[in-house]
Amino acid sequence: MRPTLDLTVDEHLAPLPPHAYFQDLYRMQTLVPQKRASMVSLDTIRKDPRWRDPNLREVISMLSHPMDPVKSNAAAYLQHLCYENDTVKQDVRQLRGIPVLVGLLDHPKAEVHRKACGALRNISFGRDNFNKVAIKNSDGIPALLRLLRRTDDVEVRELVTGTLWNLSSHEPLKMIVINHGLQTLTDEIIIPHSGLRGDPNDPARPGDPEWNTVFKNTSGCLRNVSSDGADARQRLRECDGLVDALLHALYSAVAKRDINNKSVENCVCILRNLSYHVHKEVPGAEKFHIQAANHSAKPGGHHKKKDESDCFGGRTTKVGSVSSGKRHGAGEKKSGGVDLSKRSLPMKGLELLYQPEVVRLYLSLLKLSQNHNTLEAAAGALQNLSAGHWAWSNYIRATVRKEKGLPVLVELLHSDADKVVRAIAIALRNLAIDHKNKDLIGSYAMRDLVSNLPCGQQRPAKNLEGDTVVAVLNTILEIVSENLENARFLIQGQGVQKLVSINRTSQSVRETKAASHILQTVWSYKDLRHMLCKAGWNKTHFKPAVSSLPKKQKNAKQGNDDITLPLMEKNQVMRVAVSSTDGYCTVDQAERAGDAPCHMIERETFQVSGHVVSFLFSRNF
């Protein structure tokens, strides 16, 4: 029988005499030294009629017992009790068990600090952030990092990084993890396991990444903290070796076609987050700012150049070579008044985030990956890099076109994953700031964009979310603005019928406003009115259904910069014991405050005090 835990007893825990369970466990370790006590303890002791389960207070008391085997097995038993039991986790916190467990992380015996870390990982898992804060208040984050630096034990490193991943899911702890552990995690885990340092036997040969649990946990932790804001992003960008290692790992993954694992997903998401606002936040960004007029489309323009003629020549293209060692566009001329090709020193660190090489990398991921999160992140990275009016974003937009990336993006508009369609649509909107891209997208992508629109209250077969529909509408608005030919393609693609239906029947104000703006833009082209009237439309069909619109939306050309950028994961962070990740927002943050979590399951098996327990961990965006 398990006695009922009495929490009304004095909170000050005094050492209790060893429970019979632990006495017998220690005796078995002494009598049978050639076997692990965890293999014989429960099976043997449970046959003894004196045995009963210790209560939680007794277990926590044993963490301070002078015998190390008792401490170890008490911590292991706590790990077992806390598995998928939020009540027990709360009781452990209230009984002040967390500070004792944190203290055991500095214990010299490997078995003791291993079991203590395992208990902390299970305690830190879940939606109860009070447990995470309690670990932080007990100086658990520095203790975990000290343990990581001094141990080479793979299991301990997995436990430490898994616990840090859990802690990083709580917003107030992200900068604490960065302040205490960013360089340690980079130097101890990310760089060595990325292959950046090369083959130890052949330093001239690039090394291959190791997609192990430690790398997955650490990249997941950094994926979480990279979403914390401008300060966090800048700290990660400036962390020595981090960006270089992440990119090297991804280049290797693409070269070997090994891109559908969790670590690749984490790496792409980190880089996507670090690319957010890169045109504003990198040092000296103002020097590369150019006038928006250089990017705007010529009114009514539809100008194809020779280098664009085959851009949409085929829907399937071979993956281009990806190399981090060669500089792209060595012979490129000036772009936006700045010569981007003249570099006196090799590029490294944050500069690598916005070089042309990454365009080929992200396009390769978009062609090859089957992971929806990776596809969303790769599209989001292009979306971020092509935003804003500075020389590098202008160059990125042109590079996507020259690398025949537009057909790759357009093909993904047919994806069944809502978040992929949304990310692709907004990326196309940013790319369309370049008037050559706008012409091509209007010519070849209009029908694909229209196919994702609902017909009034009837949603398309994919049942896209409202945010995605608005993203598609805003992209259509961008490519028909100041471009008569693209507006003609919209009419020919049966887009007017859907827009009129949305304008009149949609229950979403945002959808109605966006559709209304497009209709007004199309009607403003007098050369198209005969075509519209011949199809049965008249002026009343193009009147806005919403009487008053915000001033910022009356100008179709506004909103090409920050509003189309993803502000990462503020409300969509994974909380996991062995895995964690992010999502990102493609509209204003306030509009996504109510995002619901998305779930995924992972399993791992651990051996605890003679039990083989299958620990089930879920993760939430």
Side-chain angles (χ1 to χ4, degrees):
M1 299 285 294
R2 292 180 186 269
T4 303
L5 177 63
D6 183 6
L7 296 178
T8 63
V9 183
D10 184 7
E11 291 183 354
H12 299 283
L13 294 178
L16 298 177
H19 190 276
Y21 167 79
F22 296 104
Q23 288 178 328
D24 287 346
L25 181 56
Y26 181 63
R27 177 171 55 83
M28 292 305 300
Q29 287 179 308
T30 305
L31 295 177
V32 194
Q34 70 275 17
K35 295 184 179 181
R36 289 174 56 91
S38 60
M39 297 296 293
V40 299
S41 58
L42 291 183
D43 293 338
T44 304
I45 297 174
R46 280 184 169 173
K47 297 178 182 178
D48 191 326
R50 298 175 302 160
W51 185 88
R52 68 168 175 84
D53 284 352
N55 63 42
L56 193 57
R57 182 178 291 278
E58 291 172 325
V59 176
I60 293 174
S61 176
M62 290 306 102
L63 295 173
S64 303
H65 195 275
M67 294 186 294
D68 291 340
V70 176
K71 293 177 182 177
S72 173
N73 284 282
Y77 194 52
L78 273 181
Q79 179 183 3
H80 172 63
L81 293 176
C82 291
Y83 166 65
E84 284 194 335
N85 194 323
D86 292 338
T87 301
V88 173
K89 295 176 190 178
Q90 181 180 357
D91 293 343
V92 171
R93 184 180 75 246
Q94 292 177 348
L95 288 170
R96 299 183 182 180
I98 289 177
V100 185
L101 287 168
V102 170
L104 292 178
L105 295 177
D106 290 315
H107 196 282
K109 293 289 184 65
E111 192 68 14
V112 175
H113 60 240
R114 180 188 299 114
K115 295 298 174 59
C117 192
L120 287 171
R121 187 183 64 175
N122 276 8
I123 290 171
S124 63
F125 169 68
R127 297 180 180 276
D128 188 349
N129 292 323
F130 290 108
N131 296 329
K132 299 177 178 66
V133 173
I135 294 173
K136 185 270 295 184
N137 290 340
S138 303
D139 291 329
I141 293 175
L144 287 164
L145 292 162
R146 285 195 301 271
L147 178 56
L148 181 66
R149 284 190 289 266
R150 78 172 192 266
T151 183
D152 292 325
D153 186 282
V154 175
E155 182 183 351
V156 174
R157 288 190 155 215
E158 290 178 358
L159 292 169
V160 169
T161 53
T163 306
L164 289 170
W165 197 354
N166 289 344
L167 296 175
S168 70
S169 69
H170 186 41
E171 291 290 331
L173 304 187
K174 292 182 178 182
M175 281 305 299
I176 297 175
V177 173
I178 290 174
N179 290 335
H180 286 282
L182 175 57
Q183 198 65 58
T184 295
L185 292 172
T186 300
D187 293 340
E188 294 286 337
I189 308 296
I190 297 296
I191 292 177
H193 292 282
S194 69
L196 180 64
R197 290 175 178 165
D199 189 337
N201 300 321
D202 185 6
R205 177 185 176 187
D208 294 328
E210 302 173 15
W211 305 129
N212 51 29
T213 302
V214 175
F215 187 89
K216 179 181 69 173
N217 291 350
T218 305
S219 58
C221 175
L222 296 181
R223 180 178 177 179
N224 279 350
V225 301
S226 66
S227 70
D228 194 47
D231 290 342
R233 289 193 296 273
Q234 200 60 20
R235 289 286 299 277
L236 267 68
R237 290 175 188 139
E238 295 173 351
C239 181
D240 189 27
L242 177 59
V243 173
D244 309 66
L246 295 174
L247 284 170
H248 177 85
L250 290 179
Y251 286 128
S252 300
V254 169
K256 293 182 176 295
R257 303 299 192 268
D258 183 16
I259 59 173
N260 290 310
N261 59 68
K262 191 68 179 179
S263 294
V264 167
E265 177 188 326
N266 288 338
C267 292
V268 181
C269 288
I270 295 170
L271 294 171
R272 184 268 317 277
N273 290 359
L274 299 187
S275 300
Y276 176 69
H277 267 184
V278 72
H279 63 291
K280 293 182 178 181
E281 296 173 355
V282 300
E286 66 280 355
K287 294 186 297 183
F288 294 96
H289 184 78
I290 54 181
Q291 296 297 322
N294 292 341
H295 301 283
S296 57
K298 297 178 180 179
H302 184 69
H303 311 282
K304 282 189 179 181
K305 303 297 182 182
K306 291 183 179 180
D307 65 330
E308 302 164 359
S309 58
D310 296 328
C311 182
F312 281 83
R315 290 304 178 108
T316 58
T317 57
K318 295 183 179 180
V319 180
S321 60
V322 181
S323 172
S324 59
K326 294 183 180 180
R327 188 180 309 150
H328 177 77
E332 288 289 341
K333 296 182 179 180
K334 291 185 178 181
S335 178
V338 179
D339 191 340
L340 302 177
S341 62
K342 292 182 179 180
R343 310 288 297 182
S344 58
L345 296 173
M347 291 166 289
K348 63 179 182 178
L350 66 87
E351 287 182 312
L352 296 173
L353 290 171
Y354 47 85
Q355 299 304 315
E357 293 94 319
V358 298
V359 170
R360 298 199 297 274
L361 173 64
Y362 294 136
L363 290 177
S364 296
L365 290 167
L366 290 171
K367 294 174 187 177
L368 296 171
S369 181
Q370 303 298 316
N371 183 326
H372 289 160
N373 294 327
T374 300
L375 292 173
E376 179 194 27
L382 291 176
Q383 170 187 336
N384 286 343
L385 294 174
S386 59
H389 297 296
W390 72 318
W392 290 104
S393 59
N394 185 39
Y395 199 36
I396 291 292
R397 288 188 286 264
T399 303
V400 171
R401 179 177 69 255
K402 293 174 182 178
E403 294 291 337
K404 303 188 185 302
L406 295 178
V408 178
L409 293 164
V410 172
E411 185 67 27
L412 286 169
L413 288 172
H414 298 280
S415 172
D416 292 329
D418 180 275
K419 59 187 175 183
V420 174
V421 175
R422 181 164 61 245
I424 293 293
I426 303 176
L428 289 171
R429 181 184 178 190
N430 282 358
L431 291 168
I433 297 174
D434 180 294
H435 73 272
K436 296 178 182 178
N437 287 346
K438 178 182 284 195
D439 290 343
L440 290 167
I441 295 169
S443 301
Y444 296 99
M446 185 65 77
R447 290 184 182 274
D448 303 272
L449 289 164
V450 170
S451 69
N452 282 297
L453 294 178
C455 188
Q457 308 240 355
Q458 181 182 0
R459 314 302 289 187
K462 287 185 286 190
N463 194 25
L464 299 178
E465 295 180 3
D467 285 339
T468 303
V469 173
V470 172
V472 173
L473 288 168
N474 287 337
T475 301
I476 293 174
L477 176 61
E478 173 64 35
I479 62 179
V480 300
S481 297
E482 301 181 7
N483 195 304
L484 183 145
E485 286 302 314
N486 285 347
R488 192 188 307 275
F489 291 135
L490 175 66
I491 299 170
Q492 294 172 347
Q494 309 301 314
V496 173
Q497 179 181 353
K498 287 191 173 184
L499 291 168
V500 170
S501 181
I502 293 172
N503 189 38
R504 292 186 173 183
T505 64
S506 176
Q507 299 300 308
S508 167
V509 174
R510 295 172 61 223
E511 290 181 14
T512 302
K513 287 180 179 179
S516 176
H517 283 308
I518 300 172
L519 289 171
Q520 291 177 73
T521 301
V522 172
W523 186 254
S524 69
Y525 295 117
K526 296 181 179 180
D527 292 345
L528 298 179
R529 290 182 183 176
H530 176 73
M531 180 181 181
L532 291 169
C533 293
K534 188 176 180 180
W537 306 108
N538 56 57
K539 185 176 181 179
T540 59
H541 293 109
F542 296 86
K543 287 184 178 180
V546 180
S547 58
S548 60
L549 298 175
K551 290 183 178 180
K552 65 178 182 180
Q553 296 197 18
K554 289 186 177 180
N555 186 348
K557 292 301 294 178
Q558 291 183 1
N560 281 327
D561 192 359
D562 294 351
I563 197 170
T564 64
L565 294 172
L567 185 57
M568 312 320 161
E569 303 129 328
K570 283 292 185 181
N571 301 298
Q572 303 171 316
V573 184
M574 294 172 71
R575 301 176 178 88
V576 292
V578 283
S579 61
S580 169
T581 190
D582 58 20
Y584 69 91
C585 184
T586 55
V587 292
D588 286 342
Q589 196 59 25
E591 297 175 348
R592 295 280 292 187
D595 282 350
C598 174
H599 302 284
M600 186 174 179
I601 299 298
E602 291 191 1
R603 296 179 185 270
E604 280 202 359
T605 300
F606 294 88
Q607 193 162 329
V608 183
S609 299
H611 281 71
V612 177
V613 183
S614 178
F615 285 84
L616 183 64
F617 301 106
S618 65
R619 73 161 172 81
N620 307 319
F621 265 91

